[in-house]
Amino acid sequence: MIDIHCHIVFGVDDGPTTIKDSVRMILEAEKIGVDKIIVTPHYKKNVYDSDKVVNNFYKIKSRVRDFGIDLYLGYEVFLVSSINDVLLQKDKYTLNKSKYLLFELPFDIMPVGINETVLKLHSEGIVPIIAHPERNMYFAKNMQKFIEFIETGCLVQLDAASIVGIHGSGVKRFAKKLIDLKLVQFVASDAHKPEDYEIFKKAYDIVKNWAGKEYSDKIFTHNQKVIIAPPILSHS
Ligand SMILES: [Fe+2]
């Protein structure tokens, strides 16, 4: 499996505080069969200090050099307050310097003008991926608004914990509905601690049960490969 959303970098957000804990998370990920991880510290202005992200990321990378796991850098961007920063430094905030941007919205409201913000990102060549919309109460109560929103050109990433039921039965029901409707492109761990990788594996098994192995592999592994290694055009 490939994880595209997790908080493994120590000392920069609400994830681990020491490099030892970062390494423990990576060991747990490896144990359940994850071999590539895009780490995504929160980028939220005036809440988290992002100055140490790059430095701490490379410290972890060199510590796990001999593990069977590849690490890449990205962010989980709180879009409402960060759109201007993203547009100024696209390569810095997208996932692994790709065209894909992982972003989150407030859990309880739909920000004014958000559809226009997504269209603006597209016009700048960025493909936005919304993180855990199943946890957004506004979307859960307004399915039609959610569909209109993703039709502006947003890909969808669910959290493993939502599928397992950790965020409540309503969130789990909404997650299943999105999977049943095949509106999901990615499931990620959104791990903040080592134990969260066990949940990622459980979520894979649940989705396999709900939608079959082929679909489960697609949204836990195959779609993610496009972000890590974009396909190269050839003459054929
Ligand atoms: Fe997250």
Side-chain angles (χ1 to χ4, degrees), residues 13 17 27 32 35 69 88 124 129 135 141 159 163 168-169 184 186 222 233 236:
D13 61 9
T17 51
L27 282 170
I32 60 135
D35 65 350
I69 208 152
L88 282 171
E124 296 284 334
I129 302 173
R135 294 169 61 189
K141 290 180 195 149
D159 275 3
I163 290 164
S169 54
V184 178
F186 310 100
H222 298 315
L233 281 179
S236 55

Side-chain angles (χ1 to χ4, degrees), residues 1-220:
M1 293 188 286
I2 299 174
D3 195 10
I4 64 158
H5 176 178
C6 55
H7 303 267
I8 282 181
V9 180
F10 63 99
V12 295
D13 61 9
D14 52 349
T17 51
T18 64
I19 191 165
K20 202 173 145 201
D21 288 335
S22 298
V23 172
R24 274 186 61 215
M25 288 181 77
I26 292 165
L27 282 170
E28 288 304 312
E30 202 178 357
K31 212 186 276 176
I32 60 135
V34 173
D35 65 350
K36 291 177 176 50
I37 300 177
I38 306 180
V39 299
T40 53
H42 286 287
Y43 182 68
K44 198 171 187 179
K45 250 185 164 161
N46 304 322
V47 177
Y48 297 111
D49 181 5
S50 296
D51 287 357
K52 287 187 255 158
V53 167
V54 174
N55 231 332
N56 290 5
F57 169 71
Y58 281 104
K59 280 183 190 164
I60 300 167
K61 212 171 149 75
S62 87
R63 187 72 70 90
V64 302
R65 212 177 19 228
D66 300 328
F67 294 18
I69 208 152
D70 298 322
L71 295 186
Y72 308 87
L73 183 58
Y75 287 88
E76 177 184 16
V77 171
F78 190 72
L79 199 56
V80 180
S81 56
S82 315
I83 178 74
N84 292 333
D85 295 357
V86 168
L87 293 176
L88 282 171
Q89 284 182 284
K90 290 181 222 167
D91 272 4
K92 178 170 176 182
Y93 295 107
T94 53
L95 298 175
N96 187 35
K97 297 187 193 300
S98 67
K99 62 180 178 176
Y100 299 94
L101 178 80
L102 182 72
F103 75 94
E104 63 175 336
L105 293 179
F107 284 116
D108 48 353
I109 56 149
M110 177 89 168
V112 177
I114 192 67
N115 288 20
E116 290 71 21
T117 302
V118 167
L119 292 171
K120 173 80 183 152
L121 288 170
H122 269 279
S123 72
E124 296 284 334
I126 295 173
V127 178
I129 302 173
I130 182 165
H132 44 63
E134 77 284 2
R135 294 169 61 189
N136 184 307
M137 287 305 101
Y138 179 86
F139 287 143
K141 290 180 195 149
N142 298 273
M143 185 66 180
Q144 192 50 37
K145 288 275 178 216
F146 175 69
I147 290 178
E148 282 168 23
F149 175 64
I150 59 171
E151 280 177 350
T152 58
C154 241
L155 299 176
V156 173
Q157 176 257 305
L158 302 188
D159 275 3
S162 304
I163 290 164
V164 171
I166 287 167
H167 298 303
S169 54
V171 171
K172 181 172 180 167
R173 239 188 339 267
F174 189 30
K176 181 167 190 305
K177 194 169 175 182
L178 298 181
I179 285 174
D180 289 345
L181 293 169
K182 301 280 188 284
L183 293 176
V184 178
Q185 285 75 41
F186 310 100
V187 177
S189 76
D190 199 358
H192 287 69
K193 52 188 186 309
E195 303 76 52
D196 291 342
Y197 276 102
E198 230 181 276
I199 294 166
F200 194 34
K201 174 71 173 79
K202 273 187 195 154
Y204 172 85
D205 292 334
I206 291 171
V207 173
K208 197 166 85 173
N209 240 342
W210 286 348
K213 185 176 185 307
E214 197 180 323
Y215 187 67
S216 203
D217 285 341
K218 187 173 162 180
I219 63 176
F220 279 80

